[in-house]
Amino acid sequence: MERKIKVVDVTLRDGEQTAGVVFANPEKIRIAKLLDAVGVDQIEAGIPTMGGDEKEVIKQIVDLGLKADIIGWSRAVVSDVQASIDCGVDAAAISISTSDIHIKNKLKKDRQWVLSNMAKAVEFAKKNQLYVSVNAEDASRTDMDFLIEFARIGREAGADRIRYCDTVGVLDPLTMYDNVKTLIEATGMAVETHTHNDFGMATANALAGAKAGATYMGVTVNGLGERAGNASLEEVIMTLEQLWDMKLGYDTTLLKQLSEYVAKASGRQLPVNKAIVGDNVFKHESGIHADGILKCAATYEAFLPEQVGLTRGIIIGKHSGSHAVLAKLAEHGYETDHDTAEQVLKRVRHMSIEMKRSLLDTELIDVYKEYMKL
Ligand code: MN
């Protein structure tokens, strides 16, 4: 069944462009396999025209024979596209700036030059049977009339979709929605979102794009990427599957494993409060919350931990209540009464403040045994 919305992962390209991040080739292979196991539709594997190890690993990823289509990223330059063809990829992402600020200051060219170079590169890729995403770099700061013209000429050259890049992450969801809607209404072209997180709205902007009709969502694992990063794969996929209940068939149970692996390979530790996959997402300490969770998990959890490969934990500390103490002691085989739990809790609070942290299970058991003179 054809998915209504497809996920395009760019961790191995934009993610690796994060300052200071380099993936070893075996890490790239493993990340590609995990992405494929999750069911990601397209994997942007790297930049073939860099040559050397980069080109070699892209070929190796192609040779894995994954279900996902493999994309090679390139500039709108025929020799770049040729390097993608050499690797045997399924698709080319052909990128060129469309905003005047980029055209004048970076490229030092004019709009006409952009259109003709883009068209040449796209035509060359199509002649070589590649699926083509034509990427409008800095689309969000591009004059809309010019962006529409760019999309139309791209489509005439054979492009299959346009990547709408919020390259410096300056959109908010409402503006993103309006812009993507305008672009689709004017061109009828399939749109991919590519949103950066400079104002913390990358995921929200990607989803706003989908609401406006974009059918491809560009993401990276853990939101890795240039500067503040990109829309996060795990946040976007869980929104599609859980909040929007789209039943697209992505295997979300692998998300924690994928995030952990990319965190390790990139040397960027996963924050404990990272949405969807952080270690603390299913940890409960405060008395009212822990009590609610023990009675019915849905009281304070938006989804089940096993949906993303996490586990639930009740934490004993300063803000704990007696119900959690009772439950935690019972978990370790110590059945006790409410009055005892209250007394143990007083000591737990004191210790927690003294140590400025929650207690380990073994520390709680020690407090209990001491109180009971066991
Ligand atoms: Mn980017």
Side-chain angles (χ1 to χ4, degrees):
M1 197 185 68
E2 183 82 350
R3 283 176 177 150
K4 283 191 205 113
I5 290 188
K6 295 180 180 173
V7 171
V8 181
D9 182 88
V10 299
T11 305
L12 298 177
R13 199 273 306 164
D14 203 318
E16 203 187 30
Q17 283 175 219
T18 310
V21 169
V22 181
F23 296 125
N25 282 1
E27 290 173 334
K28 279 200 155 196
I29 301 265
R30 175 147 180 76
I31 292 167
K33 284 183 180 169
L34 279 167
L35 289 167
D36 194 55
V38 167
V40 163
D41 301 86
Q42 297 183 337
I43 297 170
E44 193 162 282
I47 307 172
T49 197
M50 285 173 69
D53 284 346
E54 175 82 351
K55 199 168 178 181
E56 197 43 52
V57 76
I58 295 167
K59 279 185 196 160
Q60 285 171 19
I61 291 169
V62 167
D63 288 343
L64 293 172
L66 303 177
K67 285 195 287 317
D69 286 341
I70 307 301
I71 307 176
W73 186 95
S74 73
R75 296 169 299 175
V77 173
V78 166
S79 58
D80 275 28
V81 177
Q82 183 60 53
S84 289
I85 295 164
D86 295 344
C87 291
V89 296
D90 305 288
I94 296 174
S95 196
I96 193 163
S97 294
T98 51
S99 67
D100 289 333
I101 187 169
H102 273 215
I103 296 171
K104 281 181 193 143
N105 299 296
K106 186 184 80 170
L107 302 175
K108 301 197 183 296
K109 301 286 183 191
D110 56 27
R111 289 179 175 186
Q112 203 50 50
W113 184 91
V114 166
L115 294 176
S116 75
N117 279 270
M118 176 271 288
K120 262 186 264 172
V122 170
E123 279 163 11
F124 181 72
K126 289 311 293 182
K127 229 188 320 179
N128 287 277
Q129 287 80 47
L130 291 182
Y131 173 98
V132 172
S133 168
V134 64
N135 302 354
E137 188 181 351
D138 208 21
S140 54
R141 293 191 297 180
T142 299
D143 168 54
M144 185 51 83
D145 288 337
F146 180 63
L147 189 65
I148 289 167
E149 189 185 358
F150 176 88
R152 284 189 180 139
I153 289 175
R155 190 181 46 196
E156 279 165 28
D160 298 277
R161 70 163 184 254
I162 181 166
R163 180 179 292 180
Y164 181 88
C165 302
D166 184 18
T167 300
V168 288
V170 291
L171 293 182
D172 62 79
L174 300 179
T175 316
M176 176 79 179
Y177 179 90
D178 287 344
N179 291 359
V180 170
K181 205 167 177 54
T182 301
L183 183 61
I184 292 174
E185 280 174 1
T187 65
M189 235 176 142
V191 170
E192 171 189 357
T193 62
H194 182 90
T195 50
H196 276 274
N197 204 36
D198 297 71
F199 281 79
M201 291 186 277
T203 295
N205 287 340
L207 295 161
K211 285 282 184 199
T215 45
Y216 293 83
M217 319 281 295
V219 296
T220 59
V221 179
N222 303 339
L224 206 62
E226 297 267 15
R227 304 179 315 280
N230 290 68
S232 122
L233 172 137
E234 55 281 2
E235 293 165 18
V236 166
I237 285 187
M238 278 302 283
T239 301
L240 300 176
E241 293 285 13
Q242 178 73 22
L243 289 187
W244 294 359
D245 198 21
M246 291 185 74
K247 299 193 172 43
L248 298 171
Y250 294 106
D251 186 354
T252 61
T253 66
L254 296 170
L255 290 178
K256 175 66 173 174
Q257 190 190 338
L258 174 62
S259 282
E260 287 282 0
Y261 188 75
V262 170
K264 197 167 283 181
S266 61
R268 299 297 153 108
Q269 238 186 354
L270 205 55
V272 293
N273 64 337
K274 171 71 184 66
I276 309 296
V277 289
D279 281 340
N280 266 13
V281 172
F282 290 95
K283 297 276 187 286
H284 309 280
E285 180 182 317
S286 79
I288 291 167
H289 284 233
D291 180 50
I293 287 289
L294 290 166
K295 289 169 178 159
C296 167
T299 52
Y300 289 105
E301 288 175 0
F303 55 93
L304 294 169
E306 49 269 32
Q307 281 178 266
V308 294
L310 280 167
T311 49
R312 177 179 301 125
I314 301 292
I315 302 299
I316 301 298
K318 179 185 172 185
H319 295 98
S320 289
S322 55
H323 285 143
V325 169
L326 277 171
K328 185 60 91 175
L329 286 171
E331 196 184 305
H332 289 281
Y334 301 99
E335 298 291 344
T336 188
D337 56 75
H338 196 264
D339 288 345
T340 305
E342 286 288 356
Q343 292 308 312
V344 167
L345 186 56
K346 280 184 192 162
R347 178 75 193 132
V348 163
R349 284 189 178 139
H350 180 66
M351 278 179 72
S352 182
I353 292 165
E354 246 182 2
M355 299 189 295
K356 287 172 68 66
R357 63 168 171 84
S358 51
L359 271 63
L360 304 172
D361 284 13
T362 51
E363 290 170 330
L364 170 69
I365 291 164
D366 285 349
V367 172
Y368 171 72
K369 282 182 171 172
E370 207 173 285
Y371 178 77
M372 297 299 286
K373 300 187 172 38
L374 292 174

